[in-house]
Amino acid sequence: MALAPLVPLTADGSRPSPGIPRLDRACRLRGRALVGAGLALLPWLGYLAGTLPPAEAAAWVTLDALEAAALLTAGSRLLRGDARHRAPAAAAAVLLLADACVDLATAAAGPDLAVAVAMAVLAEIPLAVLCAVTAARPSRTRPRPSATPHPRHGQNSSW
């Protein structure tokens, strides 16, 4: 799936339309990371649905589908410079931390626990921190020069 519809960029990395603000590099990277993580969860949902017993699969697939939806929503909004990225980013952070905690609490000793610890330390907790940082910070945009001059103070813009 291409991100071109979400991030219409020209060859020099700027946005072609004057109505859309330019995001700084850190915001673009965070947005791409969130979208990438959300997309990476989609095949994982199929794996969980196919390998877990039906009762467990329903719970885990639902939790991970909510995580994917929150990550994709936050990331795509952040890439568009939409200030409404903060709530889904916060929701994703909470869901990821809950996922890590439940994984660790329910894993059997041995290889299952090792996998749960590895997923928590290498994926879920760092991604939750990224989401929390994204939720706490507004997107930073650089003003785009307008194609038409703004009316000066006291002038009627309709003339």
Side-chain angles (χ1 to χ4, degrees):
M1 171 184 263
L3 293 179
L6 297 175
V7 188
L9 299 176
T10 61
D12 68 348
S14 64
R15 294 181 184 272
S17 107
I20 300 174
R22 284 185 275 181
L23 294 173
D24 70 0
R25 182 170 185 200
C27 285
R28 283 195 313 269
L29 288 174
R30 284 196 322 262
R32 288 178 183 154
L34 295 179
V35 169
L39 291 174
L41 277 173
L42 299 181
W44 178 248
L45 296 174
Y47 172 78
L48 289 176
T51 58
L52 292 176
E56 286 181 42
W60 286 113
V61 168
T62 300
L63 176 61
D64 287 354
L66 290 171
E67 289 172 13
L71 289 166
L72 289 167
T73 302
S76 62
R77 286 181 179 176
L78 184 59
L79 287 171
R80 287 184 304 215
D82 187 341
R84 297 175 301 156
H85 69 276
R86 297 170 85 175
V94 170
L95 289 167
L96 287 160
L97 288 175
D99 191 349
C101 289
V102 174
D103 279 345
L104 292 170
T106 60
D112 288 343
L113 182 59
V115 169
V117 168
M119 287 184 66
V121 170
L122 299 175
E124 294 162 337
I125 294 172
L127 193 54
V129 169
L130 177 65
C131 289
V133 167
T134 301
R137 293 183 183 169
S139 62
R140 292 175 292 193
T141 59
R142 291 177 283 171
R144 175 171 290 283
S146 177
T148 58
H150 293 285
R152 292 189 182 147
H153 182 68
Q155 290 182 342
N156 187 345
S157 63
S158 64
W159 291 13

